[in-house]
């Protein structure tokens, strides 16, 4: 019963309709395949980056990706495998629409 209460609390906290504010600097590969650093904001509608420093104003945000039907991969050896600026990386790949967990 105790594990169930923890699961419900975590589900309510992190997966409710209102997503918790998550923001900070991330590196991403730009169109020229160079690593760039931008300020990102995770919202329930998707992952956005600020075009003006750390601004959270909607007019200063550009959509990086929506998270609908998206498969997210996590890499723990990114510095070597991807020549990334850090050891850890995530990658987004559009899903096929019929993925199951």
């Amino acid at each position: 019963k105790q594990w169930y209460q923890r699961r419900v609390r975590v589900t309510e906290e992190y997966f409710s309709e209102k997503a918790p504010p998550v923001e900070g600097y991330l590196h991403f590969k730009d169109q020229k395949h160079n690593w760039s650093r931008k300020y990102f904001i995770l919202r329930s509608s998707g992952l956005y980056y600020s075009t003006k420093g750390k601004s959270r104003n909607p007019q200063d945000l550009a959509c990086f990706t929506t998270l609908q039907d998206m498969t997210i991969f996590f890499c723990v050896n990114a510095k070597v495998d991807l020549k990334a600026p850090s050891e850890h990386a995530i990658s987004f790949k559009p899903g096929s629409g019929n993925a199951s967990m």
Side-chain angles (χ1 to χ4, degrees):
K1 185 172 181 167
Q2 197 174 34
W3 67 268
Y4 180 75
Q5 291 171 340
R6 277 192 301 245
R7 187 174 118 190
V8 168
R9 189 176 69 237
V10 168
T11 302
E12 288 174 351
E13 185 174 341
Y14 292 104
F15 299 104
S16 65
E17 287 186 29
K18 185 177 179 189
V22 180
E23 56 189 74
Y25 284 100
L26 293 174
H27 289 91
F28 71 100
K29 273 195 175 180
D30 60 22
Q31 292 177 342
K32 296 178 182 177
H33 300 286
N34 296 318
W35 288 99
S36 298
R37 185 174 183 248
K38 294 262 188 202
Y39 195 78
F40 280 82
I41 299 168
L42 178 63
R43 294 186 169 178
S44 58
S45 57
L47 183 62
Y48 298 83
Y49 65 91
S50 177
T51 58
K52 293 185 179 177
K54 291 170 107 179
S55 175
R56 293 184 213 139
N57 293 329
Q59 64 268 20
D60 298 333
L61 297 179
C63 183
F64 184 74
T65 186
T66 60
L67 302 176
Q68 289 287 32
D69 195 30
M70 192 67 66
T71 303
I72 302 172
F73 297 93
F74 181 72
C75 179
V76 293
N77 199 19
K79 248 185 183 175
V80 173
D81 295 343
L82 305 172
K83 296 184 173 101
S86 71
E87 288 296 321
H88 304 285
I90 56 174
S91 177
F92 300 94
K93 181 180 179 187
S96 62
N98 58 4
S100 60
M101 295 271 216

